[in-house]
Amino acid sequence: MTAALNLAKRAAELGEVPVGAVLVHDEQIIGEGFNQPITLNDPTAHAEICALRDACQRLQNYRLPQDATLYVTLEPCTQCVGALIHGRVSRVIYAADEPRAGSLVSARQLLSDGFYNHKFTFVGGLLAEESGALLKSFFKSRRG
């Protein structure tokens, strides 16, 4: 999660919402990303999507290896949960809850419907205080 937080700081330096993500398999980072929708002029360029794209390019496969874990500094949104399902992520560990758009436990619980052909396990709260402080500081500076 520390690597994801460092990526989130890079996003903030670019004026992007500070969210970072890393994909790990066999204790190795296989993909990484941070929020870049403004920089890339791409509304889909969330940290999770960028990490998925990076991993899939490195691996030359549109699906991730079994037991791939995503570490992300903020609870994934609907778009990202869908992409994580299609990429076959096994586990998601996130830092802070996202009360407005979080789609695992907060605003929606997409995986509880039983509709999808793939599910992943997830847990939140790892380094939540650090991630939350980074987000609060970012938005406070934008308002001030």
Side-chain angles (χ1 to χ4, degrees), residues 1-2 5 8-9 18 73 95-96 125-137:
M1 189 62 79
T2 302
L5 278 168
K9 291 173 186 172
T73 60
L126 181 62
L127 299 181
E129 288 184 29
E130 293 86 338
S131 178
L134 182 60
L135 287 158
K136 286 176 187 169
S137 172

Side-chain angles (χ1 to χ4, degrees), residues 2-133:
T2 302
L5 278 168
N6 289 334
L7 289 165
K9 291 173 186 172
R10 285 181 54 195
E13 290 168 2
L14 294 172
E16 302 276 6
V17 175
V19 179
V22 295
L23 275 159
V24 175
H25 180 255
D26 287 340
E27 299 182 21
Q28 299 292 318
I29 293 176
I30 59 170
E32 58 185 22
F34 55 88
N35 271 6
Q36 300 180 72
I38 299 166
T39 304
L40 297 177
N41 297 307
D42 178 356
T44 69
H46 291 190
E48 300 94 326
I49 302 297
C50 292
L52 279 168
R53 288 175 178 157
D54 184 43
C56 291
Q57 286 298 310
R58 289 185 198 195
L59 299 171
Q60 292 294 289
N61 196 330
Y62 75 107
R63 295 253 169 95
L64 299 172
Q66 288 185 349
D67 298 325
T69 299
L70 177 79
Y71 292 85
V72 62
T73 60
L74 189 64
E75 179 184 356
C77 71
T78 302
Q79 167 196 248
C80 294
V81 169
L84 296 168
I85 289 167
H86 288 290
R88 300 298 194 259
V89 167
S90 295
R91 182 178 14 206
V92 172
I93 300 172
Y94 68 90
D97 289 339
E98 207 320 4
R100 285 186 250 164
S103 292
L104 293 176
V105 297
S106 296
R108 284 162 238 36
Q109 299 83 39
L110 291 181
L111 297 181
S112 67
D113 292 340
F115 175 76
Y116 300 104
N117 63 340
H118 174 77
K119 286 189 176 185
F120 53 82
T121 61
F122 58 88
V123 63
L126 181 62
L127 299 181
E129 288 184 29
E130 293 86 338
S131 178

